[in-house]
Amino acid sequence: MKESHAIVDATVHALAGQVMSGAEIVVQVLADEGVDTIFGYSGGAILPTYDAIFVHNQAPKRGAQRMPLIVPANEQGAGFMAAGYARASGKVGVCMVTSGPGATNTVTPVRDCMADSIPIVVICGQVPTAAIGSDAFQEAPVANIMGAVAKHVFLVTDANKLEATVRHRF
């Protein structure tokens, strides 16, 4: 009798095949990448991701650790806190802010990090894809603004590219 052996691909994620929201995908990638602290200031466009962080912190999946959310007085403070964390820990600092003025308030810490080669990832909310370019409430051309001060800037408009885009930043 011939013996059958199943080949298991060790690179398949335990959550592969599950339907997840964009916010859940972002949080899962952060957890997979070992992010243990997030610095951020909330606002309308990023609230679903903040909710996903709170859900994750209540019961982290697959033995992942909690990711405390440190809330400063403003978005610029969140960016500088993420930068200080990166300098002190040697890890990537993560900052999460909302669209428009929330994102533009991170320009100074992003430029400071670029000049000093400090690794941070800033995750910004954005208006719905259909509203981009319409001068919608709290819309700003963040990709254009940050393009002058950041190493890489990505505007994800295809949900199917979200996981790969966030994961690749680390």
Side-chain angles (χ1 to χ4, degrees):
M1 184 160 107
K2 202 172 195 179
E3 195 171 322
S4 152
H5 295 282
I7 298 174
V8 177
D9 184 356
T11 62
V12 175
H13 195 281
L15 298 175
Q18 289 189 16
V19 176
M20 299 171 76
S21 70
E24 291 168 329
I25 291 170
V26 168
V27 173
Q28 185 60 53
V29 170
L30 295 178
D32 290 347
E33 295 299 329
V35 172
D36 59 12
T37 307
I38 299 171
F39 303 92
Y41 196 83
S42 66
I46 198 72
L47 283 178
T49 309
Y50 275 72
D51 291 342
I53 292 168
F54 295 135
V55 169
H56 169 84
N57 284 339
Q58 289 174 358
K61 295 176 185 168
R62 297 184 21 236
Q65 62 184 4
R66 287 181 165 73
M67 294 181 285
L69 179 61
I70 310 299
V71 181
N74 56 49
E75 298 88 356
Q76 185 179 41
F80 279 122
M81 291 169 85
Y85 172 85
R87 289 176 191 259
S89 70
K91 298 179 180 181
V92 175
V94 176
C95 173
M96 191 175 298
V97 297
T98 196
S99 61
T104 60
N105 285 345
T106 63
V107 170
T108 303
V110 167
R111 176 61 189 133
D112 184 60
C113 288
M114 175 66 172
D116 292 345
S117 298
I118 304 302
I120 67 166
V121 170
V122 179
I123 300 169
C124 301
Q126 184 53 291
V127 297
T129 304
I132 294 174
S134 69
D135 201 23
F137 176 69
Q138 286 201 331
E139 181 194 8
V142 177
N144 296 339
I145 294 167
M146 289 291 189
V149 299
K151 185 173 182 180
H152 298 289
V153 177
F154 300 90
L155 173 60
V156 181
T157 57
D158 179 352
N160 293 319
K161 296 180 180 177
L162 182 60
E163 178 188 4
T165 302
V166 177
R167 195 173 297 285
H168 185 66
R169 298 315 103 213
F170 287 87

